Each structure stands twice: as structure tokens, then as C-alpha cells.
Amino acid sequence: MSQASPTVNIVEVVRVSPPPSNSFTLPLTFFDLGWLKFHPVDRLLFYPVPEESRSVLISKLKSSLSATLLHYLPLAGRLVWDPTHTKPSVVYSPEDKDAVYVTVADSNADFSRLAGHEPRPAIESHPLVPELPVSNESARVLAVQITFFPNQGFSLGVSAHHAVLDGKTTAMFLKAWAHSCKQEQEPLPHDLIPSFDRTVVQDPTGIDTKLLNQWLSASDNKPNLKLFPSKEIGADIVRVTYQLTRENIQKLRERVETESRSGPELRLSAFVITYAYVITCLVKARGGDPNRRVCIGFASDFRSRLSPPLPSTYFGNCIVWSGDFDAKAEPILKEGGEEGKGFISASAVETLSGCVNGLSPENIEEKMLSPFESFMRMEPGRQIFSVAGSTRLGIYGSDFGWGKPVKVEIVTIDRDMSVSLSESGDGSGGVEIGLCLKKDDVERFVVKNEARYWIQPNENSRVWWDQKQVKSLLPLTSCY
């Protein structure tokens, strides 16, 4: 007898408003406008069974959310684009009964599987995050869903409009909410109170106008907040999480130092090493024409890179696209082609390192506008890499009073097949890597039969990893 598919049943949808406060309007900057029509970012945080009863837990989450929204009023508001205004703004109006809609649901799914690392259908995560209403004229900024898995745990699903807040702001809000819930009457610490000062963002060349013109030209020159259409996620797309330990990253770093010809100017951060490693794996997995082009992109936080720098608590987007949108697959395919070698491409590391070293306030306009042109001229089927999340956000620190989450996941990587990165949940200094791939592609990552593989940082030494360690390293030996 086949097992029934897991279901999610909506129990109630409630409005959570901040305490009485005045109306609030926050204009978007050019940092925000670059993401105006991109899909929301959906996150899931999984928590084990708390000691409190369900009713107490819901009450605490709602009351602490209300208290937190007093400091984060835009999250309770709406994104609007009045035709009489030159650009969109976030508006919170208590007269219009603005609030965050919180969905409470039950699920009969296997909590441990959804919160685990093994491959599972990507679409199974979708019912755990709420829909964020968006129309031509307005869009909600934030929506929340609390889903209970009886006797197993619960998940917190958060959907956030990308044009209003980036990952750093989202993480700051989640930690502020968790603090309010756990500490109750204690005030928020200074580093969790957002700064809404828009005068600190300077735009002498009118980047915002140029971005708005591009969006307007794509919608019959009429203000329109409708998002890009989302592609349907097939049943053959699976979600899987891999891990690189601090030791794994160091061994890969040593290998690059041995093989690269670029010298000491290479930036060998955990981000560069991890992302280059994933790119290497996926380019080799696809194979194909070595002359084909691949798009390597990522977004960087510019708060500390601006002059003068923005406050670390700046609310909104302050990220800039960077990368090589026309990189060649050939060097990645050629490097380390022998079985047991090629765990990381030195050329991929050099590409990312050069992009990171080239981040500068002087080229912000080019970085903000160039993706429009690059994506328009890309041939269909080009392999595109992008990153969601960061290893520096600290979302695993979101303890609402029932312990830290056992798993944090960015659900929406299945919409554009991006790579999610976060710090390891165990606090060991490693990196968690989230991927959504076709089932056949994921199976290429599985180590079969052999118990041991090795990488060779240099000719005189071999570093042995047992099967368990290799499985944590996206083992693509069989794909080479």
C-alpha cells in the first residue's frame, strides 16, 4: 500500500500589527530598485518540539512579533508605486489596518526528513511558506507561517519582498524577533535596531532613474509592481544540503595555493573557496562543449564598502551584483580531469577572487545596470550560477526561547537554481550548501561502492578522507 502524500492544512490566518504608532513612509533607493521584480526570498527555520504548549507558543510568537514590528514598521506595510510619484515607496498606515499576516498550519509530513540533508522533492517545502500577495499597484512586504508537525517540531516560514530588504536586514529582523520572544520585556540591543536614514545613500549619477526606466520600458511605460513570472517546479527537482567543514575548506585552500599561478593576491575566503568548489562540481557534472559560456554571479554587501560607510544596521538592500557573466567552461573542465583529482578549479577561484578584489564604490553604476544587458543577450540554456544567503548572516542564532533551529533553508533557490550558502548549524565554522537539481544530477553526487577517495594538494603528500567526509564534499569523482 503506497504511503499518502504529506499534507499541510491551514488552521487560521491572523493579522499581527505593531503597537499604536504613526504612519511611516520609506522610499526605495537604487539598491532596492534593482530587485523590484524579483521573486520574494522564502526562508524556513525548523525547530524541535518546544516545552510550551502549542497555544502558548503561538501567543508568544505573535506578541513578540508585534513588539518587534514597532522597530520594523515597513515590514507591516505595503510597497506602492503611485503613478504621481517618480519611484515606489514602502508605506505603513495604521488607518489602512496594515499588518503582517501570520498563517498557522498543521502538517503530517516527516519533520526529520524535511529538516534533514538528504535529497527530497523540492516542492515539499513550498506549502510551509506563505504566499506574499503582489499586484500591479501594491505588494505586501512580509508574510509569516507557523507550521506544526505534531510530536516532532515546528517550522517558521518567512516570505520577504526582495525590493525592501536584503539578507542582512532579514537576518537582523529575525534575530530581533527571536530576542523579543526569548527575553520578553528586555529592550532590543543596539545592533538589532534598524536605521532608516536614506540620506546616507548617495546617487549623484541618477542610478535610480536609469533602473526605473528599464523597469518601465518592460511594462508599457506604466508603473507596475508585478513580479517576474515564476517557473513551475517539476516533481523531478530535488532539494539537498551538503556541508564543508572548516578542515575541508582549509584542504581545498591548500590545493589552490599549490596549483594557482596568481600568487598572494588571491582572496581565499571561505566564500570564494566554497563557491568555486560548487561551480567546479556543477560545470564538470554537466560537461558538454568546453567552449560554452557560463555565468558566475553573486551579490555583495556594500554597507562597509561605501564612502562614508553605511551603518551596519541600515534597513533595506545594500547589495551589488558582481561576477563574470561570460566565463568559459573550458578551464574548469580541463583542470584536474583525472579520477580522484579536480575537487576545485583554480581558474574558478581566480575568477571569484578577482571579482571580490574588484568590488569598489566607483563601479556601482556599472554593476547595477550590467546584469540587465548581460541576461538579455545570453543564449538559452546557458549554465548560470548565483548565490542566495551568506555565511555571515548568523541566522542559526535565531533562538526564540526553544533553542536554535536545527535547520535553516532558503526555499526559493529552486526558482532560479541558485546556490544557498550559510554557516553550519553546529557552529563549527563550516559551510552549508543548498542545491536544487534534477534527481538524475543529484545521483551523480553520490559515492558508490568505494569507501575512500583522496585529493592531492601537492606531489609529495596525500590527504585521505573516509567515505563520510567525502559525502560531505559534494563528491563528483564519478562526474569527471
Side-chain angles (χ1 to χ4, degrees):
M1 183 176 178
S2 60
Q3 187 176 5
S5 300
T7 59
V8 175
N9 297 316
I10 305 300
V11 177
E12 63 174 342
V13 179
V14 298
R15 296 172 59 258
V16 176
S17 304
S21 53
N22 296 326
S23 298
F24 188 88
T25 299
L26 188 71
L28 300 190
T29 73
F30 66 83
F31 287 119
D32 304 310
L33 293 172
W35 305 96
L36 187 64
K37 291 182 174 291
F38 282 72
H39 58 71
V41 179
D42 297 339
R43 281 181 169 84
L44 273 174
L45 294 82
F46 292 91
Y47 291 89
V49 178
E51 294 182 1
E52 280 89 351
S53 67
R54 171 174 171 151
S55 60
V56 171
L57 184 147
I58 293 175
S59 176
K60 284 188 174 182
L61 286 174
K62 290 195 298 185
S63 61
S64 58
L65 174 58
S66 175
T68 306
L69 289 174
L70 183 62
H71 299 279
Y72 290 80
L73 286 177
L75 299 186
R78 295 159 291 119
L79 179 63
V80 297
W81 193 353
D82 190 319
T84 62
H85 296 169
T86 57
K87 61 181 180 180
S89 295
V90 181
V91 175
Y92 167 72
S93 172
E95 290 79 12
D96 294 330
K97 300 187 183 302
D98 283 335
V100 171
Y101 286 83
V102 177
T103 301
V104 179
D106 287 324
S107 175
N108 63 355
D110 184 344
F111 177 87
S112 61
R113 190 170 76 98
L114 289 172
H117 290 179
E118 296 302 314
R120 61 271 186 205
I123 56 176
E124 288 188 0
S125 296
H126 287 219
L128 305 179
V129 291
E131 182 178 353
L132 195 68
V134 177
S135 68
N136 292 346
E137 296 79 24
S138 70
R140 303 304 308 186
V141 175
L142 184 78
V144 172
Q145 180 169 321
I146 309 165
T147 305
F148 290 93
F149 302 80
N151 302 316
Q152 300 180 78
F154 73 97
S155 66
L156 197 61
V158 178
S159 183
H161 200 296
H162 206 332
V164 181
L165 61 170
D166 59 13
K168 187 175 179 66
T169 299
T170 302
M172 183 171 62
F173 161 70
L174 286 172
K175 286 183 276 190
W177 182 12
H179 176 92
S180 296
C181 188
K182 183 177 183 179
Q183 307 299 337
E184 296 187 357
Q185 300 303 318
E186 276 192 26
L188 287 181
H190 180 73
D191 62 349
L192 296 181
I193 298 177
S195 168
F196 298 110
D197 184 4
R198 288 305 200 236
T199 64
V200 296
V201 178
Q202 302 174 13
D203 184 16
T205 61
I207 302 174
D208 59 354
T209 301
K210 296 171 185 176
L211 286 168
L212 284 169
N213 286 339
Q214 289 181 325
W215 292 131
L216 285 168
S217 64
S219 56
D220 298 326
N221 291 316
K222 297 178 181 178
N224 190 327
L225 294 175
K226 205 72 174 176
L227 305 178
F228 290 140
S230 295
K231 68 176 183 179
E232 186 174 345
I233 309 303
D236 61 334
I237 302 297
V238 299
R239 190 181 308 276
V240 63
T241 305
Y242 298 97
Q243 290 183 308
L244 286 179
T245 67
R246 185 194 296 267
E247 292 74 23
N248 297 153
I249 294 170
Q250 180 57 30
K251 295 303 180 185
L252 292 170
R253 185 179 288 118
E254 291 169 1
R255 181 178 179 89
V256 171
E257 290 173 338
T258 301
E259 296 189 352
S260 176
R261 300 177 182 179
S262 295
E265 68 271 16
L266 272 183
R267 182 182 291 263
L268 301 180
S269 64
F271 164 75
V272 169
I273 293 295
T274 302
Y275 191 24
Y277 177 71
V278 175
I279 291 170
T280 304
C281 293
L282 295 178
V283 169
K284 287 179 177 289
R286 175 178 287 196
D289 183 1
N291 294 316
R292 65 185 175 90
R293 300 282 180 172
V294 297
C295 172
I296 299 174
F298 61 94
S300 298
D301 181 16
F302 257 65
R303 287 169 175 81
S304 62
R305 290 187 168 97
L306 298 177
S307 182
L310 269 58
S312 61
T313 56
Y314 173 83
F315 180 99
N317 285 281
C318 192
I319 50 178
V320 176
W321 260 99
S322 187
D324 185 346
F325 302 149
D326 293 296
K328 283 189 176 181
E330 182 177 17
I332 301 174
L333 289 168
K334 283 187 174 181
E335 289 173 349
E338 299 176 27
E339 182 173 348
K341 297 183 180 181
F343 277 83
I344 188 168
S345 162
S347 64
V349 173
E350 290 163 5
T351 295
L352 289 172
S353 176
C355 292
V356 173
N357 286 333
L359 296 173
S360 167
E362 284 71 36
N363 56 19
I364 283 181
E365 179 171 347
E366 176 190 355
K367 300 289 186 186
M368 293 296 296
L369 298 176
S370 61
F372 285 87
E373 302 169 359
S374 298
F375 288 123
M376 288 294 291
R377 58 180 169 77
M378 284 184 190
E379 72 281 2
R382 178 179 295 199
Q383 197 169 14
I384 298 176
F385 302 104
S386 62
V387 174
S390 168
T391 59
R392 297 181 178 182
L393 296 181
I395 293 183
Y396 270 104
S398 304
D399 180 357
F400 287 79
W402 307 289
K404 296 180 179 180
V406 295
K407 179 71 181 299
V408 175
E409 183 174 279
I410 298 181
V411 177
T412 36
I413 61 171
D414 57 12
R415 295 186 180 180
D416 51 17
M417 297 303 172
S418 55
V419 178
S420 70
L421 298 180
S422 72
E423 75 281 6
S424 291
D426 59 9
S428 63
V431 177
E432 286 188 4
I433 305 163
L435 292 171
C436 285
L437 301 169
K438 289 187 176 181
K439 184 178 180 181
D440 291 343
D441 293 334
V442 171
E443 288 177 352
R444 298 179 186 178
F445 291 76
V446 178
V447 177
K448 297 180 180 179
N449 303 320
E450 295 191 48
R452 298 168 74 89
Y453 291 90
W454 52 270
I455 62 169
Q456 188 171 347
N458 55 58
E459 292 299 320
N460 300 318
S461 65
R462 291 183 178 184
V463 180
W464 290 86
W465 290 338
D466 63 23
Q467 187 178 27
K468 182 178 179 181
Q469 289 173 310
V470 172
K471 282 186 177 180
S472 75
L473 280 174
L474 303 181
L476 291 186
T477 311
S478 61
C479 298
Y480 291 2

